[in-house]
Amino acid sequence: MGRIVARVLGAVFVLWAVVTLAFFGAYAIPGDPAEAVVGGAGSRSTPEQLAQISAQYGFDRPLWVQYLDTLGDLLHGDLGTSYSLKTPVATLIGQTVGGTLVLAAASLAVAWAVAIIVALGSTRDSRLGTALGSLLEVTSVAVPHFWLGSVLILLFSVGLGWLPPISTPGPSGLVLPVLSLALPLAGFLGQVMRESFIAALDAPFTLSARARGETETRVRLVHALRHAALPAISLSGWAFGSLISGAVVVETLFSRPGLGRTLLAGVLAGDIPVIVGVVLVIAAVYVLVTFATEAADRIADPRLKAAARPTEAAAW
């Protein structure tokens, strides 16, 4: 129980810190927040009009007062209204969060599949396979999302004409955005998994499995792979957060509606409620995925559950 309370308090602290950084970071963006209300710096509003809007929206109050008001509204579940779109931020997020979660979840699944295939292929008794696996991992990790996405568009959309260059409804419109996000992550997960896989193949439990007459394929897939996946499972929470961050670039590149594109539009417009609301939701998703990853860790590795029992018993 004590561990759960500590996790919840830690999550609350993370969300508060994220909101605070997003709020003051938004105010650090050059420009007058009142200009976002009237359509941006090109609206040609007079100083008197901007002063009237500042008084109406409370921009003329001390910054710490505005900060406390924002915290109070968030505690009551009110994310505010977009300055530029005049739409509740909760509505904007509700319209876009699904697309981003689908993109991130599909990218994580593809990254896992590619990482497992590379790890299995590069740990066989083949120097060529090991060298190719290492080369693929290092190369994919070093590739930025925007560069990879541009290359994929040139290859599969402009060159071959197989897939649309922008995200369209249907599975075909999801392929290139997913590959742009998944391949760099697959290289990182593959590196982690391959090292653990090599260690697992020489571990006593795999030697025991071989001594019992189990086939090498069963030893690798049933015994070694489960052990090798543990570090990568632990990193999946961080990986999902990384994918959400990468979605800002990928959604913009492929003109795909989502939280990342909404956040970028909010930053460009100086729309503080949108910036704070989207960042808060992304942080909340990251916290929930981290909790789910910890639960998956305990299911996959019984040693963690056994190690936690004395601590939990002591807490009572």
Side-chain angles (χ1 to χ4, degrees), residues 58 61 63-75 78:
R61 296 175 300 162
L63 190 57
W64 66 270
V65 174
Q66 298 180 53
Y67 169 66
L68 292 179
D69 281 349
T70 299
L71 285 183
D73 291 340
L74 292 177
L75 287 175
D78 183 6

Side-chain angles (χ1 to χ4, degrees), residues 83-245:
Y83 294 157
S84 57
L85 301 177
K86 311 295 186 292
T87 303
V89 174
T91 302
L92 291 175
I93 292 174
Q95 294 171 344
T96 55
V97 66
T100 298
L101 292 180
V102 168
L103 176 62
S107 300
L108 186 61
V110 171
W112 260 95
V114 174
I116 290 174
I117 292 172
V118 172
L120 289 174
S122 62
T123 52
R124 291 191 174 278
D125 296 331
S126 170
R127 291 186 178 181
L128 179 61
T130 302
L132 287 177
S134 300
L135 179 63
L136 288 174
E137 291 166 359
V138 173
T139 304
S140 58
V141 167
V143 172
H145 295 306
F146 70 90
W147 186 88
L148 179 59
S150 301
V151 171
L152 292 174
I153 290 174
L154 289 175
L155 179 61
F156 292 103
S157 300
V158 179
L160 300 174
W162 290 353
L163 296 167
I166 60 174
S167 187
T168 57
S172 63
L174 195 61
V175 174
L176 294 185
V178 166
L179 290 178
S180 301
L181 278 177
L183 294 182
L185 178 61
F188 180 74
L189 293 178
Q191 285 180 330
V192 174
M193 198 178 298
R194 185 162 61 88
E195 296 299 325
S196 299
F197 202 90
I198 292 173
L201 288 175
D202 294 327
F205 61 88
T206 54
L207 298 177
S208 176
R210 291 191 182 98
R212 292 196 300 269
E214 297 188 24
T215 64
E216 184 63 22
T217 300
R218 178 175 172 78
V219 169
R220 293 171 71 88
L221 296 180
V222 175
H223 300 287
L225 183 59
R226 178 179 178 179
H227 179 84
L230 294 177
I233 291 175
S234 301
L235 291 171
S236 291
W238 165 85
F240 196 83
S242 174
L243 292 172
I244 296 288
S245 302

